[in-house]
Amino acid sequence: MNKKHFIFLAIVLAIIGFKVFLSPSPSTTVASGGDYQLTLVTNPNPPTAGKDLLTVSVMDSAGKAVDNATVIMDINMTTMNMGAQSGIATPQGSGSYALNANFSMRGPWKIATAVTLLDGQTLNKDFIVNIK
């Protein structure tokens, strides 16, 4: 391998290494109101077309995690009908609930979230995410 090829390869590997080590953390959207705070985290960040993991965290006004809730997410594109997705998020512990989503195209999507607490109280929050 000549010197030019070696330098080129070293530069390419350095760029790839920086991309891996500097990859962004999950995207977070917080909604608060009343006695509870709902936080939506998407992974990857920014959310991309294809399969993404959506995690909703439920906290009370004291910042304590709310477990044993039922979290349902309805997912729809806001600008055109791309078919609806919905599902019950799986409890992850510590007030977190996760659901896999499949965003079929780029653009704005609404994640309508309904959280039903043990006492029957329902919390509703719509999150808008822009798929890249």
Side-chain angles (χ1 to χ4, degrees), residues 40-118:
L40 173 70
V41 176
T42 64
N43 195 359
N45 171 38
T48 59
K51 294 181 181 180
D52 292 64
L53 180 65
L54 307 176
T55 304
V56 171
S57 296
V58 183
M59 303 290 197
D60 67 14
S61 59
K64 182 180 174 194
V66 177
D67 288 319
N68 302 312
T70 300
V71 177
I72 298 172
M73 292 185 233
D74 290 313
I75 305 163
N76 292 290
M77 189 170 199
T78 63
T79 55
M80 66 181 64
N81 183 1
M82 296 304 294
Q85 300 176 58
S86 65
I88 299 173
T90 305
Q92 305 295 301
S94 301
S96 292
Y97 304 84
L99 181 73
N100 287 307
N102 190 7
F103 297 107
S104 56
M105 70 180 298
R106 296 177 180 184
W109 289 71
K110 178 174 80 170
I111 302 165
T113 306
V115 178
T116 304
L117 305 174
L118 279 178

Side-chain angles (χ1 to χ4, degrees), residues 119-131:
D119 65 3
Q121 181 180 2
T122 301
L123 313 170
N124 294 297
K125 176 61 187 166
D126 293 344
F127 296 96
I128 303 294
V129 294
N130 191 27
I131 303 304

